[in-house]
DNA sequence: CCTTCATTTCATCACATCATGAATCGTTTT
DNA sequence: AAAACGATTCATGATGTGATGAAATGAAGG
């Protein structure tokens, strides 16, 4: 396979493996948004279908303010989108990538 | 202090959508571990092949202690595994699930 | 307009996380 | 055995994050 030592090769340490710092930060930020049990729970519930804030608050047992803050973060990372219907604002997953991300994480943990 | 709003359907609020709290916490913990630019950078580098701590420290420009702490977290979440070779300890990605997770996050961000 | 209901924003505080240097550990080399 | 080297652990201080109540926003209906 690959046998790399500490010897001098006279070349740059090839940093090109990494994407731009801004992209790195964005990706990390997105993952951090999902990396909270309460927010992850919201995303899992939304996989089952859209919900309004009151419903999410009832299902989690937390206050609406608390849930709203969680949703604010998820929205800022474009993980969820909203739809207004009268007094209610319904939340849903932004796209398929989100579902995949969640499922991948869940299966990785379950497969231990 | 929580009463059911909206219309009464006389049924349970179907909590079965969610996995056990322990699993939720585990998954969130895992995602949080990846949700840091420096640790994500390490994982991306390891996608290119295994590396020892000194190499990772050199490539990131941070101290070995700092890098070691990052690796400790990644190891505790079973995202990376180690192999000892003399004085060096080489790190590599634990499995292909990790790669998928990272790639998914990166593409989701890049596709914006 | 005034009220009510659903949601958001704001300010705050407790708590978690991260980087870092010093001390320590485990191998290899002399 | 001692020194050198690579890596980890420990303690700490700065910074970030999350929950929460009170106040603000905004739509719907009297």
């Amino acid at each position: 396979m690959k046998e790399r030592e500490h010897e001098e090769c006279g070349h740059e340490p090839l940093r090109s493996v990494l994407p731009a710092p801004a992209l790195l930060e964005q990706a990390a930020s997105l993952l951090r948004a999902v990396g909270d049990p309460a927010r992850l729970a919201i995303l899992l519930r939304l996989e089952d279908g859209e919900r309004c804030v009151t419903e999410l608050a009832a299902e989690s047992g937390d206050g609406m303010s608390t849930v709203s803050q969680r949703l604010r973060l998820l929205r800022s990372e474009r993980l969820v989108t909203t739809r207004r219907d009268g007094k209610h604002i319904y939340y849903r997953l932004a796209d398929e990538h989100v579902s995949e991300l969640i499922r991948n994480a869940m299966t990785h943990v379950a497969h231990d």
Side-chain angles (χ1 to χ4, degrees), chain A:
Chain A
M1 305 298 189
K2 180 165 353 164
E3 285 293 329
R4 184 120 56 80
E5 296 301 323
H6 259 168
E7 333 278 81
E8 305 275 346
C9 61
H11 288 97
E12 293 294 313
L14 77 116
R15 310 202 53 158
S16 49
V17 185
L18 295 186
L23 271 185
L24 250 181
E25 175 55 57
Q26 266 189 273
S29 180
L30 181 132
L31 288 159
R32 204 176 327 127
V34 191
D36 174 82
R39 289 192 295 262
L40 182 54
I42 289 179
L43 294 177
L44 286 169
R45 281 191 240 270
L46 291 183
E47 259 199 323
D48 188 52
E50 66 175 11
R51 282 165 171 71
C52 69
V53 185
T54 307
E55 289 172 331
L56 288 171
E59 291 180 24
S60 69
D62 298 298
M64 241 185 319
S65 177
T66 299
V67 174
S68 189
Q69 292 285 20
R70 292 170 184 160
L71 289 170
R72 191 172 72 88
L73 228 188
L74 293 177
R75 187 152 31 96
S76 78
E77 295 296 336
R78 300 197 160 72
L79 289 162
V80 299
T81 60
T82 60
R83 168 180 79 85
R84 174 145 226 157
D85 179 26
K87 297 183 197 170
H88 296 266
I89 297 184
Y90 286 92
Y91 282 79
R92 62 176 58 183
L93 297 187
D95 56 50
E96 278 305 308
H97 283 158
V98 183
S99 286
E100 286 184 35
L101 193 77
I102 302 171
R103 296 206 168 281
N104 199 327
M106 295 306 298
T107 56
H108 187 260
V109 166
H111 202 280
D112 239 346

